[in-house]
Amino acid sequence: MTQPIRLPGRRFLHSPGPTPLPDAVLHAMSVQPMDLGDPRVDANIVAVEQGLRSLLHSEQAEVFLYACNGHGVWEAVVENLAAPGQAVLIAGTGHFSESWAVQTEALGRRVVRTPWREGWPIDADALEQALRDDSAHEIRAVFVVHTDTASGVTSEPGSIRRALDAAKHPALLVADVVASLAAAPFAMDELGVDVSVGASQKGLMCPPGVGFVAVNDKAMAVAQRNPAPRFYWDWVRRKDAMSYRKFCGTPPQNLMFGLEAALQLIDREGLSAVWARHARLAGAVHAAVDGWREGGAVDFFAQQPASRSVSVTTIAVKPGTVEIETLREVARERFQVAMAGGLGPLTGRAFRIGHLGDCNPAMILGAIAGAEAALRTLGVPVGEGVQRAVKLLASE
Ligand SMILES: *Cc1c(COP(=O)(O)O)cnc(C)c1O
């Protein structure tokens, strides 16, 4: 399809990341770079560190920020917590757990995987068994993806902590909250999570480019003892008051100003209100899918309603019904709603509607209507989705 010279109105961005930016974030980034001795640079870093600790519900975790995306902080965790040849366990959640596992193996670490059942959260029993089987305690850490952005499934980190405790295994617990932070409830200390991993471009409503980890004392001690050669990612080296050392070089200042503004917005709205808003908007999307599935061509990928993510909904399409890429193109080019496709094993089998970050009912209804219009344009049999979403939002 040819692009018109000008697209009237806005294109709705409903990928699960990057997500739309609030105007306040855009404005905060619109500043001239500063020399590294400017006190505003340090004040900004300290504000972001504190804001993230409070968002993660951690009193004492050390926050390390990187000029990188989510894959960068995945690497930071691997390099700091295990030496080449050592093992970590990665709980199966789908495409994102598998990608992290492949990256970890590429870095020369051994990976123990627990099986993934399509459409289901982490199997905590299988995880407990795998830990019991490791009687020599070779597994250094358990990596879990809180919300698998490809599956649209959120696992319960509490059940993972209980599995570790039941197996009496000393491994660290590392949670990837890239897609769930500031969307789904998460409290690092209370859940017994030792390291949390996040990035700027999803629930945090910023452009991609800042990754971070929050590390408790226990994990910091493991990093200190870890003989793996490393430099850029090294938490020990980055534990320094100087901003230049904290970032191992120049901080990504403009992005960091955006992040500070985003954290202020979340603080002002109130974290529980932010969580409630995500649950409500996700409910509208789920209501729409419930309507669409009556046509018999599409359905939820997540099998349990309780584990359906508040950040992104993965919608499975019956084989032979419609090409996912055609559906996305019609939604994007004709109706101005950008949706995501399926990833990894779901490529060509599913599409995804992101509903996290800076989102409101009008945007969600627009996304649902655009998706439904595209499905109808292509002759996909679907029941009434928009109506169900409107009714749900109107009844609350
Ligand atoms: C997006 C995402 C990542 C990867 O982030 P990038 O910034 O794309 O590298 C990792 N984990 C989860 C859960 C994600 O949603």
Side-chain angles (χ1 to χ4, degrees), residues 16-17 68-74 96 100 145-150 176-180 197 199-202 208-209 352:
C68 75
N69 61 16
H71 282 72
V73 277
W74 273 355
F96 281 83
W100 201 357
V145 178
H146 186 205
T147 292
D148 191 295
T149 324
D176 169 342
V177 293
V178 175
S180 52
V197 179
S200 52
Q201 79 273 23
K202 296 186 182 174
R352 294 175 298 150

Side-chain angles (χ1 to χ4, degrees), residues 118 150-151 289 292-303 313-328 331 339-343 345-353 371-372 374-376 378-382:
E118 283 205 351
S151 311
V289 178
W292 293 339
R293 72 210 281 254
E294 285 181 0
V298 303
D299 206 341
F300 289 106
F301 180 70
Q303 296 301 307
T313 299
T314 303
I315 299 148
V317 175
K318 209 164 118 184
T321 311
V322 67
E323 289 283 339
I324 299 294
E325 287 315 304
T326 309
L327 176 66
R328 287 179 69 203
M339 312 187 292
L343 288 175
L346 292 183
T347 306
R349 290 171 53 198
F351 66 99
R352 294 175 298 150
I353 298 177
E372 184 170 322
L375 287 161
R376 291 187 189 277
L378 292 167
V380 179
V382 286

